[in-house]
């Protein structure tokens, strides 16, 4: 059932909400929808995007936000199920009836390798993030609920997650150049469904939610089995909240240490060796290493815990090693994390495209490519030592080539009209848990 066009009047709804002329059940949800954006006055958000699959959680998120804000909706058709196209069309028709701009994005999920569900999640972020940037949106809202938080906790518990993982999904995070919001993490799925029923709005049921091959479905089933022990969605969310406070304290300690003892230079991360030995504890050391390796390599996940532990146990005596696409060199004063030259040796893109984590500004000419400077490029720059950067850093640094001829290597001192900068954000930002 679709509400008639014209029911949305954000100004009138906000006035009714503030005057208490809204039912308590709806008021709680509307206040949550408003707070997600109102608590960020420093952000310019004339319009917010909403990721809508057609399920109850995302449909409720869309309609609640639409009561108070200017919204656009987006649906990703993964092509993984025969029903996907019909579900996207259901959302499109609903939005058309309500005058809400809607876009359907397509992803060829059948071509994905490895963990299909993880690949689909990353594809959604990438596609929706690019869409939101093109549309000039200030943020994108997701329909995760307290039920999702509890299920995620159990899934991560089964994987022996540490404090970072068990402290749950955040109410907001940044990825793909966009701010992402989860306005209803404190509300249950049942709360949102009852809201839709009161509004006369339908939704689609994803048949995969009944397929116990998926970990999330297993977690949902486990939650039902845990009820006799008094373990509920609400109680697990309370535990997640306690762990999140502890996580925040550890994160604050790490950022404070990093501000004083860690530097970013030419895309490398430099750590004061004395401070790392004497001031960083086991947990902040582990997190710093993981953050440095992920920021430099661009990997979505940290290396295996055993490999990081091996480095932490041996770094005092092992002065040069590679890990996770990075090279780590240790001197008496500094631990330097840099990109491993071997990891980018075969990477070549035309000038104008991003290379690894670098973007070039300069002349666009046919036949020019960006690739690693490498040993051959370094031979063509007799004065590279004047850059003050170590050889391993320069070997993996970006350079412009015309065939075998070096055109530009900004980090090595041969700019030739070009400059290069990191497109991944600062390392300091990478230390903030998303």
């Amino acid at each position: 059932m679709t509400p008639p066009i014209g029911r949305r009047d954000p100004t009138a709804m906000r006035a009714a909400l503030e005057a208490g002329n809204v039912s308590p059940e709806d008021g709680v949800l509307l206040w949550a929808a408003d707070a997600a954006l109102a608590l960020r006055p420093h952000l310019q958000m004339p319009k917010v995007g909403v990721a809508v699959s057609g399920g109850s959680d995302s449909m409720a998120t869309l309609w609640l936000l639409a009561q108070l804000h200017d919204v656009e909706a987006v649906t990703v058709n993964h092509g993984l199920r025969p029903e996907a196209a019909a579900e996207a069309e259901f959302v499109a028709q609903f939005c058309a009836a309500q005058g809400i701009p809607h876009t359907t994005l397509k992803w060829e999920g059948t071509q994905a390798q490895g963990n299909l569900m993880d690949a689909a999640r990353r594809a959604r972020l990438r596609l929706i993030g690019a869409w939101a940037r093109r549309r000039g949106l200030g943020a994108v809202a997701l329909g995760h609920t307290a039920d999702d938080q509890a299920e995620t906790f159990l899934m991560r518990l089964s994987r022996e997650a540490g404090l970072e993982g068990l402290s749950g999904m955040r109410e907001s995070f940044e990825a793909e150049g966009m701010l992402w919001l989860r306005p209803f993490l404190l509300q249950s799925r049942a709360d949102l469904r009852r809201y839709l029923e009161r509004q006369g709005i339908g939704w689609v049921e994803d048949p995969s939610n009944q397929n116990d091959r998926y970990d999330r479905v297993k977690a949902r089933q486990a939650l039902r089995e845990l009820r006799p022990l008094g373990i509920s969605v609400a109680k697990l969310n309370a535990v997640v909240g306690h762990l999140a406070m502890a996580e925040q304290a550890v994160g604050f300690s790490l950022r404070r240490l990093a501000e004083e003892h860690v530097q970013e230079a030419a895309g490398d991360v430099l750590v004061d060796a004395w401070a790392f030995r004497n001031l960083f504890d086991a947990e902040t050391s582990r997190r710093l290493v993981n953050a440095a390796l992920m920021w430099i390599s661009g990997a979505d996940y940290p290396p295996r815990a055993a490999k990081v532990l091996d480095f932490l146990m041996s770094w005092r005596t092992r002065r040069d090693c590679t890990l996770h696409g990075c090279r780590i060199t240790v001197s008496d004063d500094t631990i330097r994390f840099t990109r491993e030259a071997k990891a980018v040796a075969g990477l070549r893109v035309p000038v104008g495209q991003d290379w690894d984590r670098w973007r070039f500004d300069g002349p666009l000419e046919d036949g020019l490519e960006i690739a690693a400077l490498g040993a051959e490029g370094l031979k063509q720059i007799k004065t590279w030592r004047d850059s003050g950067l170590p050889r391993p850093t320069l070997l993996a640094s970006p350079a412009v080539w015309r065939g075998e001829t070096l055109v530009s290597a900004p980090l090595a001192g041969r700019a030739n009209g070009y400059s290069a900068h990191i497109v991944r954000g600062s390392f300091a930002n990478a230390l903030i848990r998303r």
Side-chain angles (χ1 to χ4, degrees), residues 77-112:
N77 179 355
H78 298 90
L80 298 176
R81 296 181 291 105
E83 306 88 355
E87 292 166 0
E89 182 60 23
F90 167 82
V91 179
Q93 290 181 5
F94 175 86
C95 290
Q98 307 309 324
I100 299 173
H102 173 266
T103 302
T104 296
L105 306 173
K106 292 186 178 180
W107 177 63
E108 295 300 327
T110 54
Q111 305 300 317

Side-chain angles (χ1 to χ4, degrees), residues 258-313:
E259 286 175 0
E260 297 179 2
H261 305 293
V262 179
Q263 299 178 40
E264 175 190 330
D268 292 356
V269 174
L270 284 64
V271 184
D272 182 276
W274 181 91
F276 194 71
R277 182 185 303 110
N278 296 287
L279 302 181
F280 285 74
D281 58 31
E283 180 63 7
T284 51
S285 296
R286 182 189 67 83
R287 292 192 184 204
L288 181 67
V289 170
N290 279 340
L293 295 173
M294 293 172 65
W295 183 73
I296 292 171
S297 69
D300 293 319
Y301 296 104
R304 292 185 179 278
K307 292 184 176 181
V308 176
L309 179 61
D310 178 62
F311 168 76
L312 292 174
M313 296 294 290

Side-chain angles (χ1 to χ4, degrees), residues 112 124 160-161 166 310 346 371 381 383 429:
R124 280 196 300 275
E160 301 180 14
L166 296 179
D310 178 62
I381 305 177
T383 59
N429 284 338

Side-chain angles (χ1 to χ4, degrees), residues 88-415:
E89 182 60 23
F90 167 82
V91 179
Q93 290 181 5
F94 175 86
C95 290
Q98 307 309 324
I100 299 173
H102 173 266
T103 302
T104 296
L105 306 173
K106 292 186 178 180
W107 177 63
E108 295 300 327
T110 54
Q111 305 300 317
Q113 302 292 321
N115 186 326
L116 184 58
M117 298 304 288
D118 185 62
R121 183 183 68 82
R122 296 185 181 283
R124 280 196 300 275
L125 285 178
R126 185 176 65 255
L127 289 170
I128 295 175
W131 165 82
R133 294 194 303 274
R134 288 195 303 271
R135 299 297 296 171
L137 305 182
V140 176
L142 304 172
H144 294 128
T145 66
D147 297 76
D148 295 301
Q149 187 77 287
E151 293 158 9
T152 299
F153 176 84
L154 291 180
M155 291 162 61
R156 293 177 178 177
L157 189 66
S158 73
R159 298 169 189 154
E160 301 180 14
L163 181 59
E164 291 165 287
L166 296 179
S167 58
M169 296 184 289
R170 303 294 291 271
E171 292 182 355
S172 65
F173 65 99
E174 295 179 16
E176 301 295 334
M178 186 55 50
L179 173 67
W180 304 74
L181 306 173
R182 297 183 176 108
F184 302 110
L185 274 183
L186 298 180
Q187 280 70 43
S188 71
R189 184 171 296 124
D191 290 335
L192 296 186
R193 289 191 171 190
R194 284 192 290 266
Y195 172 78
L196 290 176
E197 289 169 352
R198 290 193 297 273
Q199 300 296 312
I201 300 175
W203 64 85
V204 297
E205 293 286 358
D206 183 349
S208 67
N209 286 334
Q210 307 302 319
N211 189 339
D212 60 10
R213 289 188 305 144
Y214 297 116
D215 288 345
R216 186 164 294 279
V217 176
K218 293 176 182 177
R220 200 166 295 163
Q221 294 170 345
L223 277 169
R224 289 195 289 269
E225 298 298 323
L226 290 171
R227 286 174 188 165
L229 290 174
I231 299 176
S232 63
V233 167
K235 288 186 177 180
L236 287 179
N237 272 265
V239 171
V240 168
H242 299 326
L243 294 173
M245 287 189 286
E247 162 66 21
Q248 189 176 36
V250 175
F252 176 79
S253 175
L254 174 59
R255 291 191 296 274
R256 185 185 60 191
L257 286 167
E259 286 175 0
E260 297 179 2
H261 305 293
V262 179
Q263 299 178 40
E264 175 190 330
D268 292 356
V269 174
L270 284 64
V271 184
D272 182 276
W274 181 91
F276 194 71
R277 182 185 303 110
N278 296 287
L279 302 181
F280 285 74
D281 58 31
E283 180 63 7
T284 51
S285 296
R286 182 189 67 83
R287 292 192 184 204
L288 181 67
V289 170
N290 279 340
L293 295 173
M294 293 172 65
W295 183 73
I296 292 171
S297 69
D300 293 319
Y301 296 104
R304 292 185 179 278
K307 292 184 176 181
V308 176
L309 179 61
D310 178 62
F311 168 76
L312 292 174
M313 296 294 290
S314 62
W315 71 270
R316 294 171 179 81
T317 56
R318 187 169 54 179
R319 293 298 175 116
D320 194 339
C321 69
T322 57
L323 179 59
H324 215 49
C326 299
R327 184 170 178 178
I328 310 172
T329 54
V330 180
S331 68
D332 292 341
D333 301 321
T334 305
I335 306 170
R336 190 176 194 116
F337 296 81
T338 192
R339 193 67 159 119
E340 182 186 3
K342 183 179 178 181
V344 293
L347 181 60
R348 302 183 76 92
V349 301
V351 168
Q353 294 185 19
D354 293 347
W355 180 86
D356 198 29
R357 58 203 170 113
W358 295 90
R359 180 172 299 165
F360 268 78
D361 294 317
L364 298 177
E365 298 179 17
D366 293 339
L368 295 182
E369 292 184 308
I370 305 174
L373 179 60
E376 292 303 314
L378 214 56
K379 289 179 182 177
Q380 298 184 39
I381 305 177
K382 302 302 182 182
T383 59
W384 66 265
R385 290 180 178 82
D386 294 342
S387 70
L389 295 174
R391 179 181 172 85
T393 298
L394 293 176
L395 290 175
S397 68
V400 177
W401 294 84
R402 187 185 300 278
E404 301 300 315
T405 302
L406 180 66
V407 175
S408 173
L411 272 67
R414 182 179 291 183

